[in-house]
Amino acid sequence: MANKLPLKGDHVGSFLRTEPIKQARAAYTNGKIDKASLREVEDREIEKLVQKQIEVGLKTITDGEFRRIIWHHDFFSGFEGIELIKNERKATFGGGNKPKPITIVITDKIKNHHHYMIEHFKFLKKTVDKYGDGTQVAKFAIPAPSVIMYRSINEREKEVYPNSVDMFHDLGVAYREVVNALYEAGCRYIQFDDTTFTAFNDPTFTKRMMESTGLSKDEILDLIINTTNDALQDKPEDLITTVHMCRGNFRSKHLHTDGGYDYVAPIFDQLHYDAFFLEYDDERSGDFEPLKNIKRRDVEIVLGLITSKFPELEDPIAIKGRIKEASQYIPLENLAISPQCGFASSEEGNVLTEEEQWNKIQHVIQIAESVWDKVPANK
């Protein structure tokens, strides 16, 4: 299974935090329990989560990001030279919603040294092996290198990295080492989450990135592509690497990144990923026509047609119609479906219940089975 992509009904990875997780995190934050006690609760709840994913029929199994405050900052803080700090974030989601005031800063040269999340994956892999039947794969989600752009820039960083190209070079090396370490730990499916490609539709974001890097938009895009491919440079053939092109997801609200994939689809062929998760749950993402620019036929295009933001189940006939529409541009055997994003990009989670969350997952699986039951898997 590891060197194929039969994952016609997939998911982005994060799940609503369970009540025991919420209570344990609050107790830890308030100093009522220590880190070891928090980890015990996390371990127990992740075991339950793995069993639930297997029970509903998922083949790609994650830890739900139960150990994270937010999907990206926790990971970056595992590198030497990057620190997690309290600071008001600039990103504002629909309705003026803002995540917790934490961000990352660069304080020294970026290096990888025994990234702590390798142990998180090892626990996930052991648990999947324990409860699975051999047809499941443990999937680990990490932010794409480009997400480093969402950080606070201080005077210390300017001293450490006067040139942003040098910073991205070091980041690419650190990522390559993490990818290899995950593989050595038994990982055969890594999902990268990327919020930058879709954000380049936003002129405010683009202007801010150009000012912070001193580069043009095209130069920044080239830098993202090169850094991503550097991270995947030594990727073993039996390691699946995918990317989720995220448009923001916090408490069922999105970032202001409207617009189709016209400007970014033409560069998909340059990125050394095996599959692309694209958000298509509402009109903000435009139509499927830009997919015609993807010429590779060794990749899967995962259509995020099911929303993780709201509990109502989409009309399966309408979803099948949209899949058929997309197949005008990408062969059906190269398509798959999933929710457009995870259910809890941050520990707050989206506005639906756990039961409604699992109904969504089962909805994805049932539609996928009815569409691709007799379609050969993309290999």
Side-chain angles (χ1 to χ4, degrees):
M1 177 176 181
N3 59 353
K4 301 177 183 178
L5 289 172
L7 313 173
K8 296 303 183 182
D10 213 321
H11 66 119
V12 173
S14 66
F15 286 107
L16 296 172
R17 309 303 193 260
T18 61
E19 194 58 36
I21 287 284
K22 293 176 183 178
Q23 292 177 4
R25 280 211 164 271
Y28 175 71
T29 300
N30 295 327
K32 295 181 179 179
I33 63 172
D34 60 15
K35 199 158 191 173
S37 298
L38 172 62
R39 190 179 184 98
E40 285 181 11
V41 176
E42 291 172 343
D43 287 354
R44 189 164 58 248
E45 292 302 301
I46 288 170
E47 281 211 21
K48 293 177 184 177
L49 178 71
V50 167
Q51 292 177 74
K52 182 64 176 180
Q53 291 174 80
I54 293 171
E55 177 190 322
V56 300
L58 282 173
K59 295 300 182 181
T60 54
I61 312 298
T62 74
D63 63 4
E65 301 179 12
F66 274 14
R67 304 188 197 274
R68 306 185 199 184
I69 299 172
I70 194 165
W71 63 279
H72 55 319
H73 287 156
D74 298 68
F75 177 82
F76 281 116
S77 67
F79 288 128
E80 290 185 7
I82 301 179
E83 293 184 9
L84 187 64
I85 65 168
K86 289 186 176 182
N87 190 40
E88 193 67 28
R89 295 176 62 196
K90 294 181 179 179
T92 300
F93 292 76
N97 287 281
K98 280 193 174 186
K100 288 182 177 178
I102 58 172
T103 188
I104 51 171
V105 292
I106 295 174
T107 58
D108 209 336
K109 294 290 186 181
I110 298 171
K111 297 178 183 178
N112 171 60
H113 182 68
H114 302 302
H115 198 292
Y116 75 100
M117 283 194 180
I118 303 301
E119 295 303 315
H120 294 182
F121 173 76
K122 287 180 179 178
F123 181 84
L124 172 64
K125 177 72 164 59
K126 180 179 70 174
T127 308
V128 172
D129 290 345
K130 178 180 178 180
Y131 294 106
D133 61 8
T135 65
Q136 296 86 11
V137 59
K139 176 169 84 165
F140 203 65
I142 62 176
S146 60
V147 180
I148 193 71
M149 290 186 178
Y150 293 93
R151 69 187 188 280
S152 291
I153 300 176
N154 56 21
E155 291 304 316
R156 176 58 183 160
E157 176 181 335
K158 294 175 183 178
E159 294 174 7
V160 175
Y161 287 116
N163 188 326
S164 58
V165 174
D166 293 337
M167 183 270 289
F168 270 96
H169 172 268
D170 287 354
L171 188 66
V173 172
Y175 259 84
R176 192 185 318 152
E177 292 176 359
V178 168
V179 168
N180 289 335
L182 283 168
Y183 183 83
E184 290 299 318
C187 188
R188 296 299 181 268
Y189 188 169
I190 303 174
Q191 175 190 293
F192 293 78
D193 293 305
D194 193 310
T195 51
T196 55
F197 282 106
T198 55
F200 276 107
N201 261 341
D202 182 350
T204 301
F205 171 86
T206 303
K207 180 181 178 182
R208 191 167 77 242
M209 292 306 100
M210 290 170 62
E211 290 174 348
S212 66
T213 62
L215 303 173
S216 68
K217 178 179 177 179
D218 288 342
E219 289 173 330
I220 296 171
L221 287 171
D222 285 342
L223 189 57
I224 293 174
I225 294 168
N226 292 335
T227 304
T228 300
N229 292 340
D230 282 348
L232 302 176
Q233 181 177 308
D234 302 322
K235 183 180 87 71
E237 288 187 9
D238 62 341
L239 173 63
I240 295 172
T241 55
T242 67
V243 63
H244 168 231
M245 299 288 186
C246 183
R247 293 174 176 268
N249 182 36
F250 176 72
R251 297 293 293 159
S252 297
K253 301 295 183 179
H254 59 77
L255 280 169
H256 300 295
T257 51
D258 295 353
Y261 294 96
D262 309 70
Y263 71 106
V264 71
I267 69 171
F268 284 176
D269 286 350
Q270 300 176 50
L271 293 165
H272 298 168
Y273 290 117
D274 299 305
F276 295 83
F277 285 70
L278 307 180
E279 297 199 4
Y280 272 113
D281 63 324
D282 59 31
E283 66 282 353
R284 292 188 308 120
S285 301
D287 58 27
F288 298 122
E289 187 172 2
L291 300 182
K292 68 184 181 183
N293 293 292
I294 303 171
K295 306 303 181 184
R296 289 173 59 190
R297 290 296 175 260
D298 60 340
V299 296
E300 197 126 290
I301 305 302
V302 187
L303 305 173
L305 298 172
I306 307 297
T307 188
S308 67
K309 296 187 179 79
F310 309 111
E312 294 77 17
L313 296 180
E314 292 80 357
D315 179 356
I317 295 176
I319 295 300
K320 290 175 186 178
R322 297 199 70 195
I323 294 169
K324 183 177 181 180
E325 183 183 347
S327 70
Q328 298 176 49
Y329 307 102
I330 299 289
L332 186 61
E333 60 266 26
N334 290 84
L335 293 174
I337 62 167
S338 74
Q340 101 292 347
C341 196
F343 292 91
S345 298
S346 66
E347 62 183 356
E348 291 86 354
N350 283 347
V351 186
L352 69 171
T353 67
E354 287 183 46
E355 181 181 2
E356 291 165 342
Q357 164 187 263
W358 295 116
N359 288 342
K360 285 280 182 173
I361 291 294
Q362 289 179 307
H363 199 47
V364 168
I365 294 171
Q366 289 166 0
I367 293 173
E369 287 176 347
S370 68
V371 172
W372 285 283
D373 184 45
K374 296 181 181 180
V375 178
N378 178 34
K379 300 181 180 180

